[in-house]
Amino acid sequence: MATPLSMEWILITNGKEQRLNDEDNLFEIVFEGYRIFPLNEKLEIKRTLKSEQLGAGIIEELTFKNHFTYCKYRLVSLHSVN
């Protein structure tokens, strides 16, 4: 049986991200399925696919487990506080 996999270039959070560390702006988000993001590259962060860009982040760690992707990223710029 094939394992579905998608390559992503925009980090879409749908408001499900969790802050791991206040001082370092480190966040984690869990996606259903397996998603690959470029590591150590600045990516757009959006709340939804059609929303404006919230900021930019750098993916620091991806973990695949039981059909979920655990993604840790560092927020490097924020366009708005809302």
Side-chain angles (χ1 to χ4, degrees):
M1 175 180 257
T3 301
L5 177 73
S6 66
M7 182 72 175
E8 306 286 336
W9 294 95
I10 299 173
L11 185 60
I12 300 172
T13 66
N14 291 311
K16 296 180 181 178
E17 70 278 7
Q18 292 186 343
R19 184 181 291 266
L20 298 177
N21 186 318
D22 286 337
E23 290 118 27
D24 295 332
N25 287 324
L26 190 61
F27 292 83
E28 182 176 53
I29 186 164
V30 179
F31 297 104
E32 191 171 336
Y34 297 122
R35 299 183 187 196
I36 295 178
F37 294 88
L39 295 174
N40 302 313
E41 295 287 330
K42 194 182 285 189
L43 298 176
E44 259 183 70
I45 298 176
K46 292 183 171 187
R47 180 99 38 216
T48 66
L49 185 58
K50 293 184 179 185
S51 67
E52 295 290 320
Q53 182 177 350
L54 284 173
I58 296 176
I59 308 295
E60 295 190 353
E61 182 179 317
L62 289 175
T63 304
F64 307 109
K65 186 176 181 182
N66 297 327
H67 300 284
F68 287 93
T69 301
Y70 298 84
C71 176
K72 289 184 183 175
Y73 68 94
R74 187 171 312 280
L75 185 65
V76 294
S77 69
L78 185 63
H79 295 306
S80 172
V81 294
N82 292 329

